[in-house]
Amino acid sequence: MKGVWLVAKREILTRGLSRSYIVGVVVSAVLVAGLTLLPGLLGGPSEYRVVLTGTESAELATAIEAAAEGFEEFSVETAEVADPEAARAEVEAGDADAAIIDNTTLVTESGADQQLAVVIDGAHQAVTTQRQLAEAGFDPADVNAALTVAPLQDDQLGGDDAGARQGIAYFLVIVLFFMVMMPTMYVAMGVVEEKSSRIVEILLSSLKPWQLLVGKVAGLGVLGFVNLAVPLAVGLAMGDVTGAVAELPSGLTGTILSSLVWWVLGFCFYAAMAGALASMISRQEDMNSAIGPLTMLMILSYVVAAVYAWQPTTLVARVLSYVPPFSMFMMPVRDAVNDAPLWQQGLSALLMALAAVGMFALGATIYRRSVMRTGSKVKLTEVLRKSS
Amino acid sequence: MLEVRNLRKTFGDNVALDDVSLTVEPGRMFGFVGANGAGKTTTMRIAMGVLESDAGDVRWDGASLTKSRRADFGYMPEERGLYPKMKIAPQVAYFGELHGLTPAAAKRAAGEWLDRLGLGDRGDDFVQDLSLGNQQRVQLAVSLVHDPKMLILDEPFSGLDPLAVDTMAGVLADRSAAGVPVIFSSHQLDLVERLCDTVGIISKGKMVAAGTVTELRRSAGRRLRVNVADATPGWEQTLPGPATSCGDGEWLVDSADDQGVLAAAMAAGRVVRFGYDEPSLADIFREASA
């Protein structure tokens, strides 16, 4: 274990203290912190001002304000002005979002925002209908009663916030993909660096090949984890302060935290594979072809997950959430929409952990058999067939 | 004492080592010479445990070598290896720790060796910023940092300027004098001849000669060099053994009967040169590798 620790420590110290790494962590933390402020900046309450003039202004104003109350984070302030010129002037100056003249003309800069238009249109319909019915001889009280309609009940079959949950699941898939991809590449590059500089020969005179592989994966894994966890912690803390976390659909904080576990499992799986594949080549130029199978598998599982993030309760999604390495993306997706009980997540994590261990065993074998062979790319079949 | 016994190694159909044995005794310096591809590097890699042999074994002080006992060895591979983007002092110390030193001891030893090799003020530089010769010094420091009980160095002198060669030779002689068995390979035969107590010559995977330089000279078959002024052409026919001309009237004679050769030469004319010819290591090497 001491050998593993020394190798890991060297990775952590040499890369972790490098300027590029530290800057990277700080930048992502700042970006994530900025993201938590976004909802407040973009999705804040919409406030409108509507000016009215001429006939039925008072009725319209009352109707508009009443309708606006039905919406959350939406409010309309109304005011009466002296004449049409004043109303147009307010809209032109940008002081008002809309002006209504004589309950016949709507003045805006370039059309009213959708929600505002709906409210104004509704008010216009209501006030006009009421007047016309009254003119036709109906009792205003009866008219009023007849016109009062209870709003439609909102019943989302996907449960509350289904859209938000799927959006966050999709976001998690993207984050997991990139956060696993990056340190995995570092593992591959590090293995080739040691092999191409032949330093591996000195290392292997005092270390076993598996110690070198495990130490490298562990060291770069710690750095990758910090790179993921620090921005996440900053984001959650900031979100707590700004109230963004409280607005998350319930249980999603847990999903975000458990995605850290999925990250660890997924990284171990892919990093072991990357180390093994990279040990078969001697030059950085051969990297793309060497780790081609890994990139393919990773992109495939990412694309599948990205598609099924929007259909997380289908059979395919449920099956794939148990199949390593697809499960590292699919299970968080299902968890995000509350489709996976804890035992299912545990079972899937266990399978993924077993796959990672298996990949380590296979990777260490490939690594041991090919790391000392230099020159052209070692063939995988050759490495696997060799019995010694 | 390091004993390499009956090593055999094949790469595919290519027999890289065929029954290679050698012994490096404490306090002795063993020079390992051979043409490119003869098997020096393969032998050393197997001795370091970096490669596995197909047959034969490597023993240290009478017992077979394990990974932990090899941790006491110092190794310099033929194709140098250092982390280009790591600072020198931590890098040397890292290898010290890999060989079992405590962090503090490794740091101290790294500093001492870098001082001794003239790199004391460059400990915070990155390896990639050093000249090749200085990188080689760092490489030597890496192989020495843990005060090894055995030194295995593959081509330690290649690419060094004369001053660096002297530094390297001094360090090796010093370690050897401290009782450490040292084995190194080199193509610089004059250097091997000057530094080494024992020399092994390997050719096409086989040890073709091994022993002290004196022994090798003796076994190479000493020849008599004789020059007779004013001898009539064809006089060499009277010699008791086969003779080859070296030009300018000089002949090399293969014969154990030195007095017979002298008598024949005196009979042929005025003898201006007569004596045993000491072959250089290069001569021995050429002959053994042929």
Side-chain angles (χ1 to χ4, degrees), chain B residues 223-280:
Chain B
R223 290 190 294 186
L224 288 159
R225 184 179 285 270
V226 57
N227 193 346
V228 181
D230 319 321
T232 49
W235 76 273
E236 70 276 9
Q237 305 291 338
T238 64
L239 289 166
T244 35
S245 170
C246 304
D248 288 338
E250 287 211 350
W251 296 86
L252 278 174
V253 189
D254 268 325
S255 171
D257 180 10
D258 45 12
Q259 295 307 307
V261 172
L262 181 59
M266 287 172 74
R270 187 166 61 92
V271 177
V272 291
R273 180 168 184 179
F274 178 77
Y276 276 108
D277 197 56
E278 292 288 335
S280 68

Side-chain angles (χ1 to χ4, degrees), chain A residues 181-198:
Chain A
M181 191 67 156
M182 231 168 26
T184 297
M185 286 299 153
Y186 284 139
V187 169
M189 276 154 50
V191 167
V192 179
E193 179 195 31
E194 282 170 357
K195 206 181 162 186
S196 64
S197 72
R198 310 301 164 94

Side-chain angles (χ1 to χ4, degrees), chain A residues 2-3 6-7 9-11 14 193-194 197-199 201-209 216 372, chain B residues 45 48 50 67 70 75 77 79-84 86 91 94-95 97-101 139 142:
Chain A
K2 183 163 181 253
L6 283 173
V7 174
K9 189 174 81 173
R10 193 199 78 85
E11 297 291 345
T14 43
E193 179 195 31
E194 282 170 357
S197 72
R198 310 301 164 94
I199 201 165
E201 223 174 292
I202 309 180
L203 294 169
L204 287 185
S205 67
S206 48
L207 287 169
K208 294 191 181 75
K216 183 169 282 294
M372 279 305 296
Chain B
R45 283 181 173 170
M48 275 318 294
V50 174
K67 197 106 201 164
R70 278 202 182 92
Y75 179 49
E79 310 199 45
R80 311 282 181 250
L82 293 169
Y83 288 107
M86 193 174 173
Q91 179 149 209
Y94 170 62
F95 283 101
E97 284 192 62
L98 279 182
H99 282 101
L101 295 187
Q139 197 84 50
V142 163

Side-chain angles (χ1 to χ4, degrees), chain B residues 204-226:
Chain B
K204 299 186 184 101
K206 289 187 175 159
M207 285 298 278
V208 288
T212 64
V213 176
T214 323
E215 282 167 354
L216 286 181
R217 284 198 175 121
R218 200 164 294 146
S219 67
R222 294 200 299 173
R223 290 190 294 186
L224 288 159
R225 184 179 285 270
V226 57

